[in-house]
């Protein structure tokens, strides 16, 4: 009889199913985990990310709150202080704004202002981003606001497997984590996802495709866009290295710089507004740390300094697509 | 408006008066608070304390309410609530350190669940709801108490917190110190609904209006609210009607916005003297025993001041401490930068 190789069970899951699986495992493993927000209970969330969890774990641990985002985050802060692990859902990232006072004034600085006497192991989940023709204010990408706020971590997965492993890390992290889920990816991708608990560490980027000519840096909903552009470039003989950051805070600058030092060219892609976006931070890091390796200036492919348009016919003008990314790749190649 | 002691110090409603020992304790707490406030001014002028918001005249509002808690309960104080925090047991040296802008004033003692004074207005109300709900989920009988002023009741967080606490049945006690002013804006300009306790009705929870300069009354109504919360009866809003006789902060000049007429009569309602008259009249305290108490209070303060004087100043790299449990690579690099510049 030969020794069986360690077997990893997998199941085909969409991203929303993988997130539901992570939440299920977290609730089962730790009685201090509590999930709350608008419509997360009976209804299982507008995207069904919390589907079935209230039935399994009861209305004390998975509960609906009054409709008030500042109250949701503010109450979560108090729960975290008193020893629970709050996992709050904000229905859409564009609805996070009323809660930003709680985030900026308190969530990020509680450890600091109590000299670690208290810490907040809180996760705030929020669907974000465009590409699915949502109404006004449902498609915003406010991640840079959070990344700019000291004391909070920012995670944005791009695959079902990553979503599950990163969410379990986020829930088990001792500090507050914002977990943005690209609405476009919730049900559009399926893959085999490991069952049971596994973790993907925060702060480690993923090299999606390898290539020697251009580095494309992106995350969340922009990864599949970058992959399409990379495939097109590849058939034209350009080797594109696509890097999925996975987490903006902590940021894996090492993987970015190693790649840019190899390729000498960088394109940064986000669907957030242009000015002051996280793409600008990446560009600045490359300029500070690797300018002598560059054959061309860093190019940003982003949304515009206008509110995200809910106009189906022209939404794609705002949200970067593979054509725009491919154009940016050509631009840095031809510089 | 609920009252147990008239401004002249005459007790009414004998059945509801706390026992003599408690009345003496409340007097001691108010004297400790007032001494802090009085000495704070002097220390500020000497450059030994930073800008701080005085609370003299509001001792009954703060000490009477906080005295209804035990060390297992949560206290979420605003910047003006040093008196409340001291009453729960915050060491004087820590309070001094906070107003000296020392990190030692942020490190609260392990045996207390009192948070550092909150600077933003009303934002801690939802935190109290969460802490209260967590205690309930953990099966304890502990409650959370949070303070704001009258201006704070205009903030959205105030309304969201009251609504959440009612809807989720959180064991929470909300203290709303109506001290007449939000810096220069009087309550009548802040809102058309100047009976602030009635806001509780909108959230389906009890609202109580109490004479905020009568410590026996503030203690009585808060104890009732705390007991109700402990026994599963849910949240209460308590409006303590008092007056900020002092400026907003030691750097503020209220003569720009407040008249003699506004201030008239409030000195006569002084909460400390009111209880003093009562204790002397009842024979619970003599001039001699009071003198001994005042000396004890003064000695305790001076010892605490010495302790605070001994706290070392922070070093530059401490700016980066306590951001996350483990510093990110970014923070590690920034620390190295500070250290390099320090040694350059």
């Amino acid at each position: 009889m030969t020794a069986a190789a360690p077997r990893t069970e997998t199941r085909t899951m969409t991203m929303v199913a993988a997130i539901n699986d992570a939440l299920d495992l977290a609730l089962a493993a730790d009685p201090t985990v509590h999930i709350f927000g608008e419509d997360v209970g009976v209804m299982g969330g507008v995207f069904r990310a919390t589907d079935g969890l209230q039935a399994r774990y009861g209305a004390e641990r998975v509960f609906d709150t009054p409709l008030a985002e500042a109250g949701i985050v503010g109450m979560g802060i108090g729960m975290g202080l008193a020893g629970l692990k709050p996992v709050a859902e904000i229905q859409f990232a564009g609805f996070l704004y009323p809660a930003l006072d709680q985030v900026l004034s308190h969530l990020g600085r509680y450890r600091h202002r109590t000299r670690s006497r208290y810490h907040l192991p809180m996760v705030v989940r929020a669907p974000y981003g465009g590409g699915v023709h949502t109404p006004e204010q449902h498609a915003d990408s406010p991640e840079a606001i959070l990344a700019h706020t000291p004391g909070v971590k920012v995670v944005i997965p791009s695959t079902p497997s990553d979503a599950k492993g990163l969410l379990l890390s986020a829930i088990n992290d001792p500090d507050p984590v914002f977990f943005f889920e690209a609405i476009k990816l919730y049900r559009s991708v399926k893959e085999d996802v490991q069952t049971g608990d596994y973790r993907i560490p925060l702060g480690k980027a993923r090299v999606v495709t390898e290539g020697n000519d251009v580095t494309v840096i992106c995350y969340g909903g922009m990864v599949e866009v970058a992959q399409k552009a990379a495939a097109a470039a590849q058939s034209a003989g350009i080797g594109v290295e696509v890097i999925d950051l996975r987490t903006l805070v902590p940021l894996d600058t090492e993987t970015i710089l190693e790649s840019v030092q190899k390729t000498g060219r960088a394109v940064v892609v986000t669907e957030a507004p242009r000015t002051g976006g996280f793409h600008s931070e990446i560009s600045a890091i490359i300029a500070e740390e690797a300018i002598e390796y560059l054959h061309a200036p860093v190019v940003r492919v982003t949304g515009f300094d206008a509110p995200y348009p809910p106009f189906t016919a022209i939404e794609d003008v705002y949200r970067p697509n593979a054509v725009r990314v491919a154009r940016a790749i050509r631009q840095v190649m031809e510089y | 408006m609920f009252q147990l002691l008239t401004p002249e110090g005459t007790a009414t409603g004998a059945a509801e008066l706390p026992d003599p020992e408690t009345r003496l304790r409340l007097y001691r707490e108010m004297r400790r608070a007032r001494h802090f406030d009085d000495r704070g001014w002097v220390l500020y002028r000497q450059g030994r304390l930073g800008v701080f918001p005085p609370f003299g005249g509001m001792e009954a509002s703060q000490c009477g309410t906080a005295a209804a808690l035990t060390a297992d309960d949560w206290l979420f104080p605003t910047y003006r609530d040093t008196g409340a925090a001291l009453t729960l047991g915050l060491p004087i040296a820590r309070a001094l350190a906070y107003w000296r802008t020392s990190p030692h004033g942020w490190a609260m003692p392990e045996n207390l669940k009192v948070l550092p004074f909150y600077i933003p207005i009303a934002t801690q109300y939802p935190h109290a709801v969460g802490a209260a709900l967590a205690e309930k989920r953990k099966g304890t009988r502990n409650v959370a108490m949070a303070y704001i002023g009258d201006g704070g009741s205009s903030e959205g967080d105030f309304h969201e917190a009251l609504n959440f606490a009612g809807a989720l049945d959180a064991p929470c006690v909300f203290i709303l110190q109506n001290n007449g002013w939000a810096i220069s804006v009087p309550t009548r300009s802040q809102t058309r609904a100047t009976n602030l306790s009635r806001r509780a009705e909108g959230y389906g929870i009890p609202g109580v209006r109490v004479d905020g300069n009568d410590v026996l009354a503030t203690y009585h109504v808060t104890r009732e609210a705390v007991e109700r919360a402990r026994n599963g009866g849910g949240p209460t809003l308590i409006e303590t009607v008092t007056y900020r006789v002092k400026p907003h902060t030691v750097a503020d000049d209220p003569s720009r916005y407040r008249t003699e007429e506004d201030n008239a009569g409030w000195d006569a309602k002084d909460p400390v003297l009111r209880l003093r008259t009562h204790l002397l009249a009842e024979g619970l305290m003599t001039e001699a025993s009071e003198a001994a108490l005042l000396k004890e209070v003064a000695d305790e303060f001076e010892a605490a001041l010495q302790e605070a004087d001994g706290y070392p100043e922070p070093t530059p790299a401490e700016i980066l401490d306590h951001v996350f449990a483990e510093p990110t690579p970014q923070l590690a690099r920034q620390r190295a930068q500070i250290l390099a510049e320090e040694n350059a």
Side-chain angles (χ1 to χ4, degrees):
Chain A
M1 209 165 84
T2 54
R7 236 181 75 151
T8 310
E9 300 277 350
T10 62
R11 195 149 50 84
T12 308
M13 291 186 207
T14 58
M15 193 155 104
V16 77
I19 286 163
N20 183 272
D21 192 34
L23 295 172
D24 191 356
L25 286 163
L27 284 162
D30 183 351
T32 66
V33 173
H34 285 65
I35 292 176
F36 53 95
E38 293 158 22
D39 304 306
V40 299
V42 181
M43 184 178 169
V46 290
F47 291 102
R48 306 287 182 267
T50 55
D51 200 20
L53 299 178
Q54 187 180 67
R56 231 163 296 156
Y57 298 97
E60 292 220 322
R61 293 187 62 203
V62 181
F63 60 98
D64 291 319
T65 64
L67 196 162
E69 288 77 11
I72 290 170
V73 175
M75 181 182 71
I77 289 172
M79 291 166 70
L81 282 178
L84 300 184
K85 279 189 184 167
V87 182
E89 178 177 299
I90 298 292
Q91 208 153 59
F92 289 88
F95 300 171
L96 181 65
Y97 308 141
L100 280 180
D101 176 31
Q102 286 293 340
V103 175
L104 310 184
S105 296
H106 297 298
L107 187 63
R109 59 176 88 204
Y110 233 100
R111 179 186 284 283
H112 200 250
R113 73 186 293 269
T114 64
R115 307 275 91 188
S116 293
R117 163 74 197 283
Y118 294 107
H119 67 109
L120 295 175
M122 180 167 179
V123 174
V124 181
R125 291 181 39 250
Y128 91 101
V132 287
H133 314 313
T134 47
E136 269 189 282
Q137 298 204 314
H138 287 65
D140 289 22
S141 299
E143 67 273 14
I145 299 170
L146 286 311
H148 189 64
T149 302
V152 298
K153 296 181 178 176
V154 181
V155 179
I156 311 181
S158 71
T159 69
S161 295
D162 270 14
K164 181 177 167 184
L166 288 166
L167 183 52
L168 283 165
S169 290
I171 293 171
N172 288 288
D173 196 277
D175 290 310
V177 180
F178 275 82
F179 198 86
F180 289 108
E181 299 159 7
I183 298 169
K184 179 83 163 63
L185 301 179
Y186 266 146
R187 292 176 195 280
S188 62
V189 245
K190 275 187 187 177
E191 68 180 359
D192 287 344
V193 176
Q194 211 176 303
T195 58
D197 190 343
Y198 68 92
R199 313 281 169 88
I200 293 172
L202 309 187
K204 293 271 174 261
R206 178 173 72 100
V207 179
V208 182
T209 63
E210 290 191 25
N212 291 320
D213 300 318
V214 186
T215 303
V216 175
I217 300 147
C218 54
Y219 49 83
M222 286 295 104
V223 175
E224 64 166 14
V225 172
Q227 275 176 285
K228 272 186 209 156
Q234 206 79 44
S235 53
I238 303 165
V240 180
E241 187 142 297
V242 175
I243 292 174
D244 172 5
L245 291 179
R246 283 175 164 163
T247 68
L248 308 192
V249 181
L251 180 66
D252 183 358
T253 45
E254 242 172 78
T255 300
I256 297 169
L257 292 173
E258 262 174 37
S259 178
V260 171
Q261 286 168 7
K262 178 177 72 175
T263 62
R265 297 176 186 87
V267 171
V268 191
V269 190
T270 75
E271 54 188 302
R274 180 77 152 193
T275 302
F278 200 75
H279 40 259
S280 309
E281 177 67 21
I282 304 291
S283 308
I285 288 169
I286 295 169
E288 279 182 349
E289 308 279 339
I291 200 158
E292 67 270 32
Y293 296 88
L294 291 184
H295 306 312
V298 178
V299 170
R300 293 173 290 167
V301 183
T302 71
F304 296 94
D305 291 340
Y308 191 97
F311 315 121
T312 305
I314 54 170
E315 180 183 0
D316 223 22
V317 175
Y318 187 98
R319 186 176 190 261
N321 56 23
V323 174
R324 275 175 66 196
V325 177
R327 199 180 300 141
I329 291 170
R330 270 202 311 281
Q331 192 183 332
V332 295
M333 287 304 295
E334 291 165 7
Y335 180 77
Chain B
M1 189 161 69
F2 187 77
Q3 191 184 64
L4 288 173
L5 212 50
T6 66
E8 294 74 36
T10 311
T12 57
E16 285 156 328
L17 287 182
D19 61 44
E21 199 183 314
T22 305
R23 278 179 262 172
L24 280 168
R25 183 203 159 196
L26 291 170
Y27 190 66
R28 169 188 286 270
E29 298 297 357
M30 289 202 294
R31 277 298 182 190
R32 287 175 83 236
R34 175 151 301 181
H35 191 79
F36 186 103
D37 200 60
D38 289 345
R39 284 288 280 130
W41 281 86
V42 177
L43 292 170
Y44 170 70
R45 296 209 173 102
Q46 292 173 341
R48 295 172 70 194
L49 201 65
V51 170
F52 82 100
F55 52 88
M58 293 171 58
E59 292 87 350
S61 175
Q62 295 188 15
C63 304
T65 48
L69 297 179
T70 75
D72 290 326
D73 298 316
W74 292 84
L75 185 79
F76 294 85
T78 77
Y79 51 79
R80 202 180 300 289
D81 298 321
T82 306
L86 295 180
T87 300
L88 190 71
L90 177 70
I92 294 167
R94 294 283 170 184
L96 286 169
Y98 184 90
W99 294 116
R100 278 183 172 183
T101 70
S102 158
H104 294 272
W106 290 17
M108 293 307 192
E110 287 290 332
N111 61 335
L112 284 182
K113 296 189 283 198
V114 55
L115 281 308
F117 305 108
Y118 278 83
I119 303 297
I121 305 294
T123 51
Q124 80 278 28
Y125 256 40
H127 304 180
V129 177
L133 195 67
E135 293 289 354
K136 190 175 150 185
R137 295 280 193 261
K138 292 193 289 186
T140 75
R141 283 165 51 82
N142 303 331
V143 306
M145 197 149 93
Y147 289 74
I148 54 167
D150 44 301
S153 75
S154 297
E155 288 276 7
D157 279 327
F158 166 82
H159 298 278
E160 293 193 19
L162 261 60
N163 191 47
F164 270 62
L168 299 166
D169 212 20
C172 214
V173 180
F174 301 107
I175 307 294
L176 196 178
Q177 298 185 81
N178 184 348
N179 67 9
W181 297 87
I183 306 190
S184 65
V185 178
T187 312
R188 64 180 179 276
S189 304
Q190 187 81 229
T191 175
R192 190 158 164 174
T194 51
N195 182 332
L196 302 176
S197 68
R198 292 193 60 190
R199 295 192 171 181
E201 285 172 31
Y203 306 103
I205 69 176
V208 181
R209 197 163 210 244
V210 60
D211 182 339
N213 283 28
D214 173 358
V215 75
L216 302 186
T218 58
Y219 176 74
H220 178 81
V221 300
T222 312
R223 226 177 53 137
E224 274 189 347
V226 166
E227 283 312 304
R228 183 162 53 243
R230 282 200 210 295
N231 295 325
T236 304
L237 172 68
I238 297 172
E239 178 194 7
T240 64
V241 181
T242 179
Y243 193 75
R244 191 192 86 212
V245 290
K246 301 270 179 75
H248 168 62
T249 71
V250 291
D252 171 42
D253 173 15
S255 71
R256 293 175 67 96
Y257 54 82
R258 217 155 66 174
T259 64
E260 283 302 313
E261 214 174 45
D262 289 323
N263 296 332
W266 282 99
D267 280 345
K269 293 180 184 173
D270 185 289
V272 179
L273 299 183
R274 191 186 297 194
L275 184 60
R276 179 177 190 270
T277 308
H278 168 75
L279 293 176
L280 290 173
E282 294 281 308
L284 297 173
M285 185 172 75
T286 62
E287 305 248 346
S289 72
E290 187 195 28
L293 169 69
L294 295 185
K295 185 179 181 313
E296 232 179 89
V297 164
D299 289 347
E300 182 195 7
F301 185 91
E302 293 314 309
L305 183 59
Q306 268 196 11
E307 186 187 334
D309 285 345
Y311 291 149
E313 291 292 342
T315 59
E318 278 185 50
I319 288 169
L320 301 177
D321 287 348
H322 308 288
V323 178
F324 294 113
E326 294 291 330
T328 58
Q330 286 69 32
L331 282 165
R333 271 198 291 278
Q334 288 162 30
R335 172 178 298 274
Q337 182 194 335
I338 289 179
L339 293 176
E341 283 169 10
E342 221 182 328
N343 297 326

